[in-house]
Amino acid sequence: MSNFQKINKRVVVTGLGAITPVGNTVDEFWEAILEGASGIDKITRFDVSAFSTKIAGEVKIFDPSIYVDKREIRRMDLSELYAIGASEQAIQDSGLDLESLDRDRCGVVIGSGIGGISTFERQHSLLENSGPKKVSPFFIPMMIIDMCAGLVSIRYGFRGPNYATVSACASSSHAIADAYHIIQRGEADMMVTGGAEATITPTSLAGFCQARALSTRNDDPQRASRPFDKERDGFVMGEGAGILILESYEHAQARKAKIYGEIRGVGMSADAYHMTAPDPKGYGAQKSMELALQWADINASDIDYINTHGTSTGLGDVAETKAIKIVFGDHAYKIPINSTKSMTGHTLGSAGAVELVATLKSIEEQIVHPTVNLDNPDPECDLDYVPHKKRKHKINYALSNSFGFGGHNVSIIVSKLNNVD
């Protein structure tokens, strides 16, 4: 216990990394979503002629050899390669001097909703067609969800807390929340955290198609993801990774790090309602936002911007809107609200982290990216969703929501650093 420091440490963000359907760096991602560029198109990885949905937000022109030795690439799932790539970006961005770090006090928590499903598909096919001796000895470590965090820990020698979070589309937000609490209570000085997902595969697509969860706007893919729009017909699958470097404020200050913002509070709750549908009254989402506000010790009226979960599903968009109205009252109509998924699609287990990267960039540049394809707002979705065009806006406090199948809810509040002495 002597190595632990006092509790209630401030936690700041000092590095960002992103691999997304609209760009494979944070700068590419941010510039694309500011201009309302969509990363959704026809699926290119496999034949989709038999599927009802034929579109997705694929990561494009990704070269894993930038980050991983070519001999090792074959031993890693695509989700792991995304996690390593975004982590390398974030560490480089943070300016951390790896040689001077106390690596016993550096950890990794990276979430994923599904993990190495493409690896599972390939190895199962080998088993069925050629027998058990053809299955790769690397099958298990390539497939299991915790290996994103494990490989990043091994790569940098970080010996602090190291594990994965799995809560469907809230996975990376739970990872960030856990990393925040680990630093806040003094168990680490620095954490690599976020999420990675690579689930655009035949089995995943078939499962979501059979659940009738996906948009079938196949002839107009870039307009298929349309959160809060009356003509939305389901979400669009995406993929990628978002990674953040969290540090205690003292640790970041001591090395004069650039600070994107401070994590002020997190709220976590459960709908306890249905496997896939949200509580129609939005109670779980309401509770997670209220808890985040309580933890941050601020008023609802202090929130200047909300990055919504905003998936483009009929039930989800309405439930989230209801919850925002309950929590924020009249102030709800004064807050710019948007959905990054309108351009990236739903990157599932990595969505929360990717969207928190966007939220922190919004604070840094004092601008809100648009929600694209919001042409005919649903009458039940009557808030300010920043349709079509970016908007300059003063942002001191921002909130990002993530909700997952199973009723998992996470809300994270971030702020400019100067909001606390």
Side-chain angles (χ1 to χ4, degrees), residues 221-289:
Q222 296 194 342
R223 294 174 60 79
S225 184
R226 39 198 322 112
F228 310 109
D229 189 85
K230 185 167 63 175
E231 297 177 4
R232 66 192 183 279
D233 69 329
F235 76 86
V236 178
M237 289 179 69
E239 64 175 355
I243 296 291
L244 297 83
I245 304 300
L246 306 190
E247 296 182 60
S248 69
Y249 176 60
E250 296 93 333
H251 191 267
Q253 190 179 44
R255 66 182 190 86
K256 298 181 173 59
K258 173 184 175 178
I259 294 174
Y260 285 97
E262 180 170 5
I263 297 185
R264 293 299 303 274
V266 300
M268 297 178 277
S269 72
D271 282 0
Y273 175 76
H274 189 271
M275 288 174 66
T276 57
D279 180 338
K281 295 180 180 178
Y283 180 75
Q286 171 196 336
K287 193 66 178 176
S288 70
M289 288 187 279

Side-chain angles (χ1 to χ4, degrees), residues 80 110-116 140-141 143-149 164-166:
E80 296 165 356
I110 297 176
S112 184
I114 299 177
I140 299 301
M143 179 269 295
I144 53 179
I145 290 173
D146 69 295
M147 201 54 66
C148 289
T165 51
V166 184

